[in-house]
């Protein structure tokens, strides 16, 4: 555990949190909740809660913003996104500090996340210029045209684990398409969202095109989704909330884009260097203390390399430096809050009671803050809760397999399918895994995940639709077919 502070982060104050409605920052609302630093439990600030009148005003503002923004030329929309990316990059260190203060991830990861948000905005700025319709074959005096038009004002909900890159990804695409947005970020990490919206405002985004609200999630989601102003709903968050919002959207006949939870399997096949794979696996598993949707979680390892894999993974897990994200050398920060610590503890105890071996970590650490030791469980029984519940924490679950049939069946056994990984030296196995693993993204022989230029999303309960990639604007567009006779009437 390391709690000492390093000095390379700018010593700027934690921002004052506000709603942003119709181009105006609103501070003076009753506090909905406090913002706490998960490294030391100190209070950083408070989150004003939107009242119903704020939501109504945000809706009317989003309707006006949409009318303006959809008719703004695409190059101007792209310019605003690029300018916002430039501002974010210029403020990377101070926003990175805000992220580390409120979310806990190591400062270097906070800065990397700001860069990632910039990458999303830059990709979507280019996408804005490529919204092509089509012209269908037609007889003389007839034109048959297919338009792609922005769908309308969007309600966007984002999580605490990627508090700036998720808004970057979502709003980048929505704004590039010509939509206006009402953003409801997580109340645990409001500072990053405020910084993001401020950059958009300073980049010249007209009032009403983006509104930012905090407060009671149920009040906000029911009000926004039922409103005829909102035409589309998007969430990055948990499966449970995804289903709730999808139900509300379905009742109002509105499309959704849902980026939800995962429980990524990692198939480690016979013939690989188990220790070498474990080194890559350890870094990916413990990044952001495992609090990432694509985090590798179920390590399904061929029996011939199982011992070397587990032994190296647990050796590295024991050596990782856990502590305050500003402290020099810290690799793993805290969990988001005390509830997450209790949840991980419960999963470990349950697995242990069912026969799993704790080979690294296994317990909370430190006197203050929400720290949990990087944990490796071996021989985890399939009925352990952790094998089906997304842990969203520094928990690696290892099980041995004998045949690829068995490994694929286990990997596919959950109702989730977001990111998956496989390590193999067999082309035949790689081809089969690529075809048969039920997931939205698969990384073979590395632990990377898709960035701005590749589609990302889930199958089964992990979500609906794709963000990023060449089709990133699709969810924010509607298709209109116009059959136009050119004869006089
Ligand atoms: N697929 C992806 O791209 C992706 C990326 C990051 C995180 N995630 C997932 O997000 C989850 C962690 O984030 P989280 O804990 O912030 O998720 P969450 O679902 O609890 O919250 C997400 C957002 O929804 C809001 N919310 C919560 N309850 C709501 C309700 N009843 N009505 C309306 N809004 C509500 C929250 O305030 C937050 O803004 C994990 O499951 C993780 O896998 C998915
Ligand atoms: O920043 S996000 O777009 O929400 C995002 C999604 C997925 C992952 C997985 O690596 C990271 C960030």
């Amino acid at each position: 555990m390391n709690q000492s502070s390093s000095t390379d982060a700018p010593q700027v104050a934690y921002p004052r949190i506000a709603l942003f409605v119709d181009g105006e920052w609103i501070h003076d609302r009753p506090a909905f909740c406090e913002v706490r630093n998960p490294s030391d439990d100190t209070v950083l600030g408070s989150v004003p809660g939107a009242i119903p009148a704020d939501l109504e005003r945000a809706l009317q503002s989003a309707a006006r913003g949409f009318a303006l923004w959809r008719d703004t030329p695409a190059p101007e929309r792209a310019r605003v996104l690029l300018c916002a990316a430039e501002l974010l990059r210029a403020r990377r260190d101070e926003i990175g500090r805000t992220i580390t203060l409120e979310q806990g991830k190591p400062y270097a990861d906070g800065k990397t996340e700001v860069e990632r948000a910039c990458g999303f905005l830059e990709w979507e700025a280019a996408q804005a210029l490529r919204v092509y319709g089509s012209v269908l074959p037609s007889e003389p005096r007839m034109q048959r045209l297919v338009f792609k038009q922005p769908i309308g004002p969007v309600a966007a909900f984002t999580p605490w684990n990627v508090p700036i890159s998720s808004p970057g990804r979502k709003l980048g695409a929505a704004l590039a398409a010509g939509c206006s947005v009402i953003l409801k970020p997580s109340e645990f990490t409001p500072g990053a969202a405020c910084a993001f919206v401020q950059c958009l405002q300073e980049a010249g985004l007209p009032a009403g095109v983006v509104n930012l609200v905090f407060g009671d999630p149920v009040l906000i989601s029911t009000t926004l989704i039922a409103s005829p102003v909102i035409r589309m709903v998007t969430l990055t968050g948990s499966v449970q909330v995804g289903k709730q919002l999808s139900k509300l959207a379905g009742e109002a006949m509105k499309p959704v884009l849902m980026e939800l939870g995962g429980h990524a399997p990692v198939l480690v096949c016979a013939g690989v260097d188990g220790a070498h794979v474990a080194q890559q696996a350890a870094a990916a598993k413990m990044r952001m203390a495992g609090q990432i949707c694509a985090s590798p979680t179920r390590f399904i390892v061929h029996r011939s390399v199982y011992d070397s894999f587990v032994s190296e993974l647990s050796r590295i897990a024991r050596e990782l430096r856990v502590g305050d994200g500003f402290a020099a050398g810290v690799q793993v920060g805290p969990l988001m809050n005390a509830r997450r610590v209790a949840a991980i503890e419960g999963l470990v105890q349950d697995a242990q009671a069912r026969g799993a071996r704790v080979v690294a970590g296994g317990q909370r650490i430190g006197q203050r803050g929400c720290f949990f030791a990087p944990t490796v469980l071996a021989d985890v029984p399939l009925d352990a809760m952790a094998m089906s519940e997304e842990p969203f924490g520094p928990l690696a679950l290892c099980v041995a397999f004998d045949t690829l049939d068995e490994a694929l069946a286990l990997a596919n056994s959950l109702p989730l399918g977001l990111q998956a990984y496989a390590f193999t030296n067999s082309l035949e196995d790689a081809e089969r895994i690529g075809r048969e693993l039920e997931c939205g993204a698969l990384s073979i022989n590395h632990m990377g995940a898709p960035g701005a230029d590749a589609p990302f999303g889930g199958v089964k309960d992990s979500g609906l639709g794709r963000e990023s990639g060449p089709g990133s604007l699709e969810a924010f567009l509607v298709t209109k077919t116009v059959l136009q006779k050119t004869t006089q009437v």
Side-chain angles (χ1 to χ4, degrees):
M1 273 286 292
N2 195 331
Q3 294 272 359
S4 69
S5 264
S6 80
T7 48
D8 68 333
Q11 294 303 302
V12 290
Y14 182 76
R16 193 167 167 214
I17 307 305
L19 317 176
F20 184 66
V21 179
D22 207 24
E24 184 194 342
W25 290 97
I26 302 172
H27 302 91
D28 60 342
R29 290 290 178 271
F32 172 69
C33 62
E34 289 175 331
V35 191
R36 281 181 185 268
N37 181 337
S39 283
D40 59 12
D41 306 322
T42 54
V43 175
L44 297 166
S46 78
V47 183
I51 57 174
D54 294 324
L55 299 178
E56 190 47 43
R57 195 168 153 227
L59 284 163
Q60 295 317 316
S61 171
R64 288 191 297 277
F66 176 59
L68 185 73
W69 192 240
R70 71 176 168 207
D71 292 338
T72 300
E76 170 60 10
R77 297 205 295 259
R79 188 203 62 75
V80 170
L81 292 179
L82 291 176
C83 181
E86 211 172 294
L87 289 167
L88 275 175
R89 198 166 270 124
R91 295 169 197 177
R92 184 196 69 166
D93 293 2
E94 60 192 79
I95 300 175
R97 175 179 146 86
T98 296
I99 293 174
T100 298
L101 281 172
E102 64 187 8
Q103 201 280 324
K105 64 182 73 175
Y107 178 51
D109 290 344
K111 290 188 287 185
T112 301
E113 196 192 322
V114 179
E115 292 283 355
R116 191 170 156 89
C118 297
F120 288 136
L121 291 178
E122 287 159 352
W123 173 263
E124 302 305 350
Q127 288 285 86
L129 307 176
R130 302 181 195 126
V131 181
Y132 299 127
S134 52
V135 180
L136 306 183
S138 309
E139 64 273 25
R141 290 174 294 284
M142 172 68 113
Q143 285 180 331
R144 302 197 305 152
L145 311 171
V146 179
F147 295 159
K148 293 283 186 185
Q149 297 182 310
I151 191 167
V154 170
F157 299 81
T158 52
W160 49 260
N161 67 322
V162 274
I164 202 153
S165 64
S166 180
R169 196 171 215 164
K170 255 182 217 321
L171 271 64
L175 296 174
C179 297
S180 60
V181 181
I182 302 180
L183 171 64
K184 193 336 235 139
S186 170
E187 48 284 358
F188 292 113
T189 51
C194 288
F196 179 74
V197 170
Q198 179 147 14
C199 288
L200 285 169
Q201 180 193 18
E202 289 180 30
L205 196 72
V209 181
V210 167
N211 292 273
L212 171 70
V213 294
F214 295 104
D216 176 1
V218 174
L219 171 72
I220 294 174
S221 57
T222 51
T223 306
L224 298 188
I225 297 173
S227 164
V229 169
I230 295 297
R231 302 306 317 153
M232 187 268 188
V233 180
T234 178
L235 162 79
T236 295
S238 62
V239 172
Q240 186 197 2
V241 174
K243 287 184 176 177
Q244 285 167 18
L245 300 196
S246 297
K247 194 169 168 199
L248 292 172
E251 281 162 4
M253 198 52 77
K254 293 172 187 177
V256 297
L257 172 60
M258 292 283 153
E259 296 288 356
L260 308 179
H263 202 297
V266 185
L267 270 51
V268 183
C269 297
V272 304
D273 177 341
H276 180 62
V277 174
Q279 286 156 17
Q280 297 184 52
K285 172 69 252 181
M286 300 308 168
R287 192 166 78 86
M288 287 165 53
Q291 299 174 113
I292 187 137
C293 54
S295 187
T297 293
R298 287 171 296 155
F299 294 92
I300 303 170
V301 185
H302 192 267
R303 205 171 297 282
S304 60
V305 290
Y306 185 73
D307 286 346
S308 61
F309 178 86
V310 171
S311 130
E312 182 68 356
L313 186 66
S314 47
R315 182 191 69 74
I316 298 171
R318 281 191 292 268
E319 286 178 3
L320 287 169
R321 294 193 69 185
V322 180
D324 184 307
F326 291 113
V330 157
Q331 294 154 297
V332 182
L335 303 192
M336 185 64 253
N337 51 45
R339 278 201 309 283
R340 296 302 316 142
V341 177
I344 299 296
E345 196 170 46
L347 291 177
V348 172
Q349 287 168 358
D350 168 78
Q352 220 177 347
R354 291 173 199 267
R357 284 187 294 126
V358 179
V359 285
Q363 71 289 319
R364 53 176 84 203
I365 47 177
Q367 303 300 314
R368 299 187 298 163
C370 304
F371 296 99
F372 200 91
T375 297
V376 179
L377 302 183
D379 311 339
V380 185
L382 302 188
D383 65 352
M385 276 155 49
M387 287 297 282
S388 50
E389 235 178 68
E390 182 186 31
F392 224 57
L395 191 51
L397 311 168
C398 303
V399 290
F401 74 86
D402 295 301
T403 67
L404 191 54
D405 281 349
E406 195 193 322
L408 282 165
L410 176 53
N412 288 339
S413 62
L414 297 186
L416 296 165
L418 190 63
Q419 176 75 41
Y421 307 87
F423 288 83
T424 177
N425 290 321
S426 155
L427 264 182
E428 195 185 335
D429 286 354
E431 186 278 333
R432 182 169 172 211
I433 291 167
R435 210 161 14 89
E436 294 188 20
L437 252 191
E438 295 167 2
C439 58
L442 169 64
S443 301
I444 299 185
N445 291 349
H446 70 105
M447 298 297 305
D453 61 351
F456 188 72
V459 298
K460 303 194 272 188
D461 281 0
S462 289
L464 286 172
R466 295 290 177 268
E467 289 187 321
S468 300
S472 62
L473 304 197
E474 280 305 315
F476 300 99
L477 296 169
V478 282
T479 301
K480 182 187 283 178
T481 303
V482 176
L483 309 177
Q484 178 178 325
K485 278 204 163 184
T486 59
T487 49
Q488 295 289 307
V489 289

